[in-house]
Amino acid sequence: MRIVCIGGGPAGLYFGLLMKKLHPAHQITVVERNKPYDTFGWGVVFSDATMAAMRVWDPETAAEIEDAFNHWDDIEVWFKGTRQRTSGHGFVGIGRKALLNILQRRCEALGVELVFERDVESDLDFPDADLIIASDGINSRIRNRYAEAFQPDLIVRPNRYIWLGTKKLYDAFTFDFRKTEHGWFQAHIYKFDAHTSTFIIETTEEAYQAHGLGELDQDGSIAFCEKLFSEVLDGASLMTNARHLRGSAWLNFNRLICGKWSHFNGRSHVVLMGDAAHTAHFAIGSGTKLAIDDAIELAKQFNEIGHGVEAIPSVLSVYEEIRRVDVARIQNAARNAMEWFEVVGRRYADSLEPEQFMYSMLTRSQRISHENLRLRDRAWLEGYERWFARRSGLPVETNGRVTPPMFTPYRLRDVTLPNRIVVSPMAMYSAADGVLGDFHLVHLGARAMGGAGLVFAEMTCVSPDARITPGCLGLWDDGQIEGWKRFVDFVHANTGAKVACQLGHAGRKGATKRAWEGIDQPLEEDGWPLISASALPYLKHSQVPKEMDRADMDRVVADFVAATRRAAAAGVDWLELHAAHGYLLSSFLSPLTNRRTDDYGGSHEARARFPLEVFRVIRAVWPAERPISVRLSCHDWTEGGNTPEDAAIFAAMFKEAGADLIDCSSGQVWKEERPVYGRLFQTPFSDKIRNEVGIPTIAVGAISEADHANSIIAAGRADLCAIARPHLADPAWSLHEAAKIGLKTVPWPRQYASAKGQYEANLERASAQ
């Protein structure tokens, strides 16, 4: 084949040398606009997995790269006058120029033609090429020429950064956070050769503008940075090798992903590679890794499917299918890390103590979890666990296993939970006339005995017409108090858990069949009239609700007050107001479901007016020593709906009204929603509200392991973790997860004590095999 690689970066060079090595008959040319052995940039970071693959595919190149590598295991964080260090993180770095020079020499040795100082305008400049590799970077002319085919999605991120270097050498990957009168700056620092370290400085657009950095030339920017980071520089100066850039050389990161990676231009197959196809933020240092992995996978597919021209379409199809998965995984982690640094000032740096700030930074990408930190640096993590346990009020011994975050107590008002695990309110649709009966006693009692700190019953309706289905729980009648009291008394007598009642009104989502009879499907008989913020049905064939008038509002307020008093009389420890998932109060908050033109529609304040009215009256009658939380849908997952920014506004309003905590859920407001599911996918909403609004939160959604819960709570992304399906599948989920992580100090019900030792022993035997 005739192969042309446009762009002489890592992707184009490494693919060229691999293909020439695998099939020397190929005629391969790499075209680069810069001079021979001339490049820009400082150091790049590799992963161990990428290096292992390079050893397999071209040991000669791998050996030379490894000889030039700088290895380090430690991460050091400078923050608020402290210096914290942890080990076991295994980074390798190399100068970008050194890397490219190694690849260039290897290409020449194998017979790859290198053409320098040629600025390619179009792929059509190579009409005889069978395959064109567009590895011409983030500003790829080739990709832009076929934008309709490649479908690039390019987002310019808000933070500013400048990529500098210094002759000072650092023995750890160092992060330095500095606060100025206009905001926070952070430096990402790592050594990449025997003489030089990379020094990337990042800040928000607001701080950049306020300091007038856009008005400075590069020398002015360097002088500013040298003064700001003088302590960590310790007399060393900063350098730039970007004199080719005009102005101050501060950049915005561009996040790129393409809908397609290959295109036939009528003569040649064109395929994107490296930054031309995708980018990953420098916060996890994976841009070069992705480029090398692209080259390896494409070469591998040619080797497996065939090196002839006829194989190209099949190769490109398989290549893209395989690489998309890994690229998406890396980009997700990079996005998490990037977003952490984008909001670090307003969300974490001002409020978190240095110890928790360090933990939050280490786990920012969500690729590193609590137990993974234990594998990397047990001594550091156990020191942090001791700090967290003391902060939670536990006595801590110097030796021995310390209580991990999810099993530390949590106090809100006068209620203390024995641990941070919550059994979510999950609809069972098994009540008769709203009464909490034997099924609920067994179902909920089992979860309380299973080790959870707080157990919610399902949404409890404040009136018969507030029900979702005929099988929903209620507290609209004094006769329903007894069932609740029986449940509360059982939990208090037999466990350390507390009991929570979530009060709600179904609104437009009411009068439907039980889930197993047809979820969200309207009752065909024995239904009841519905009310909502606006006269909009949930499904096209659902009942159209009445738009509430003031008389309806007065009745609903009275129903909530009466139900609150009944919950208090039953001895419930914790109350929650359900203002999520498209139910009545949620329908006021979302612009999708609130089309009103009166005082209850329009602005955030107007849409929140009625839900806040309900909250204030129940707070007034609920015992002052007991907490009230509010459940919010923090993302409607639909264009035109509420976003996490809107949720933060509402959370601040409820906080001002006296809410103690926000239960951060999302969705179920609009039937055409398109949620982005994944592990811990709703935790970012909790993180944002807790750390920007300054109110405790519950994280919910796809939290299924102790490792998840410990990571969330330890990082300060939430105060409590709500577990739904895992606790349905396993009533003793909390106890079992404690055993799985080797924590033997969590007590089991005394009736089950004989099972505890056997369960733990079985786990130990299984792990030893």
Side-chain angles (χ1 to χ4, degrees), residues 8 45 52-53 122 145 184 276-277 281 292 373 454 544 612 625 711:
V45 178
S122 168
R145 178 183 179 86
W184 286 83
H281 192 262
I292 294 293
L373 282 173
L454 181 66
V544 177
L612 285 169
E625 69 277 9
S711 299

Side-chain angles (χ1 to χ4, degrees), residues 156-173:
V156 179
R157 300 303 303 185
N159 268 18
R160 295 277 186 160
Y161 72 94
I162 186 168
W163 205 298
L164 302 172
T166 179
K167 291 297 184 182
K168 179 175 172 58
L169 301 180
Y170 296 83
D171 63 351
F173 200 129

Side-chain angles (χ1 to χ4, degrees), residues 204-500:
T204 62
E205 180 70 17
E206 294 78 12
Y208 169 83
Q209 294 291 352
H211 282 285
L213 294 173
E215 301 167 11
L216 302 178
D217 60 14
Q218 290 192 45
D219 290 334
S221 286
I222 287 173
F224 173 88
C225 294
E226 285 177 342
K227 181 178 179 181
L228 181 59
F229 291 99
S230 60
E231 184 180 5
V232 75
L233 283 167
D234 192 25
S237 59
L238 293 171
M239 308 175 293
T240 179
N241 62 9
R243 296 294 181 186
H244 61 293
L245 297 177
R246 295 180 180 180
S248 67
W250 289 82
L251 304 172
N252 292 87
F253 179 76
N254 295 307
R255 195 280 293 154
L256 171 71
I257 187 64
C258 291
K260 281 193 64 182
W261 293 2
S262 62
H263 172 66
F264 184 67
N265 69 10
R267 294 178 178 176
S268 311
H269 291 275
V270 181
V271 60
L272 304 177
M273 191 177 288
D275 281 354
H278 44 66
T279 57
H281 192 262
F282 56 81
I284 65 168
S286 290
T288 302
K289 165 190 163 52
L290 288 176
I292 294 293
D293 289 348
D294 283 351
I296 290 173
E297 189 59 47
L298 187 55
K300 176 184 176 185
Q301 292 308 318
F302 273 113
N303 214 37
E304 292 183 356
I305 297 174
H307 280 271
V309 173
E310 70 284 351
I312 294 177
S314 296
V315 167
L316 297 184
S317 176
V318 175
Y319 160 73
E320 181 173 340
E321 181 181 356
I322 292 173
R323 287 298 297 142
R324 274 195 181 281
V325 175
D326 188 53
V327 168
R329 180 179 61 81
I330 296 296
Q331 282 193 320
N332 285 340
R335 184 195 67 239
N336 292 336
M338 171 184 68
E339 291 177 350
W340 190 92
F341 282 108
E342 287 174 352
V343 301
V344 64
R346 70 175 183 269
R347 187 176 295 181
Y348 308 116
D350 283 330
S351 59
L352 296 186
E353 297 175 63
E355 293 84 355
Q356 191 164 46
F357 183 87
M358 173 81 160
Y359 186 101
S360 178
M361 198 212 73
L362 291 174
T363 58
R364 64 192 182 277
S365 72
Q366 296 186 22
R367 288 195 305 173
I368 297 176
S369 67
H370 196 77
E371 293 307 315
N372 186 259
L373 282 173
R374 197 182 307 279
L375 291 174
R376 291 167 182 251
D377 191 342
R378 175 180 289 271
W380 181 88
L381 181 67
E382 291 183 351
Y384 179 73
E385 287 180 330
R386 287 186 176 88
W387 175 87
F388 193 96
R390 285 192 203 97
R391 194 164 165 266
S392 302
L394 288 179
V396 176
E397 298 178 3
T398 305
N399 299 316
R401 177 71 183 269
V402 66
T403 302
M406 66 181 278
F407 288 106
T408 59
Y410 183 71
R411 181 183 175 91
L412 206 56
R413 294 198 183 234
D414 288 351
V415 174
T416 299
L417 307 181
N419 62 57
R420 309 295 185 101
I421 298 302
V422 176
V423 174
S424 294
M426 294 172 284
M428 296 290 104
Y429 308 119
S430 298
D433 298 320
V435 172
L436 193 156
D438 289 347
F439 170 83
H440 301 91
L441 179 64
V442 173
H443 161 64
L444 297 169
R447 273 84 199 158
M449 294 185 73
L454 181 66
V455 178
F456 271 94
E458 63 202 82
M459 184 179 90
T460 301
C461 304
V462 298
S463 62
D465 65 337
R467 293 174 295 169
I468 308 167
T469 77
C472 289
L473 281 182
L475 267 175
W476 62 77
D477 185 275
D478 288 348
Q480 294 161 335
I481 296 174
E482 181 55 36
W484 271 92
K485 189 174 186 307
R486 181 183 176 216
F487 163 49
V488 170
D489 290 346
F490 174 85
V491 171
H492 289 170
N494 293 279
T495 78
K498 304 299 181 183
V499 173

